[in-house]
Amino acid sequence: MFRLSFALLALLSFPALADVWTFNTPSGNIECSVGEGFDGSDIICSIFKRSGPSSVPQMAGCPLSRGIKVEMLHHGYVSMTCLAAGERGYGGQSVAEYGVTGNFSGITCHSSTKGLDCRNQDGHGFFLSRAVQNAW
């Protein structure tokens, strides 16, 4: 019993590996999930309705009827993929109102009426709106 209690206490004394939460833009068209841990952060955002093609050449084959998923770590480049037909998000826990900026251990996102702009500490990032989906 003593060994089990000590092992349980030891496990409980370690900090959580990551905090994860989700948010939507006010339109509900963009949903994001952010993971923030002791060694950095990551963000995954999906945009569902688009009226213009992505300006990222490798996304040229993604039909306008499908959304786009964007992934980024606090360091490095951005990854974009075409969502599967009918794929929807997970629903955000909160709303990133227009004019709000969030800082997530090396990733900064700003929500505005123009769209969602996120950048990492290396200067890479993405911009999502119904008309424009861009990554750099």
Side-chain angles (χ1 to χ4, degrees):
M1 179 70 170
F2 177 76
R3 285 186 201 171
L4 180 60
S5 297
F6 182 77
L8 184 59
L9 181 61
L11 284 175
L12 293 175
S13 66
F14 286 103
L17 295 178
D19 289 324
V20 178
W21 61 93
T22 60
F23 66 88
N24 297 335
T25 56
S27 70
N29 192 35
I30 301 170
E31 293 180 354
C32 297
S33 173
V34 177
E36 192 172 19
F38 67 90
D39 61 346
S41 57
D42 65 273
I43 188 166
I44 300 170
C45 293
S46 296
I47 183 164
F48 302 104
K49 294 179 183 172
R50 304 183 300 128
S51 62
S54 171
S55 60
V56 178
Q58 50 275 48
M59 296 306 297
C62 185
L64 285 177
S65 61
R66 292 197 185 169
I68 291 178
K69 181 188 297 184
V70 182
E71 299 179 59
M72 182 174 71
L73 298 173
H74 66 284
H75 281 293
Y77 296 99
V78 176
S79 166
M80 292 180 101
T81 56
C82 192
L83 291 176
E87 184 176 347
R88 283 300 295 179
Y90 25 77
Q93 295 170 336
S94 60
V95 174
E97 297 292 344
Y98 298 135
V100 169
T101 299
N103 294 300
F104 314 106
S105 297
I107 295 175
T108 301
C109 292
H110 180 73
S111 175
S112 74
T113 56
K114 294 179 181 180
L116 181 68
D117 183 297
C118 295
R119 299 165 188 258
N120 68 18
Q121 59 192 36
D122 290 343
H124 299 289
F126 60 88
F127 178 82
L128 298 176
S129 72
R130 193 175 300 263
V132 178
Q133 306 86 51
N134 193 9
W136 56 91

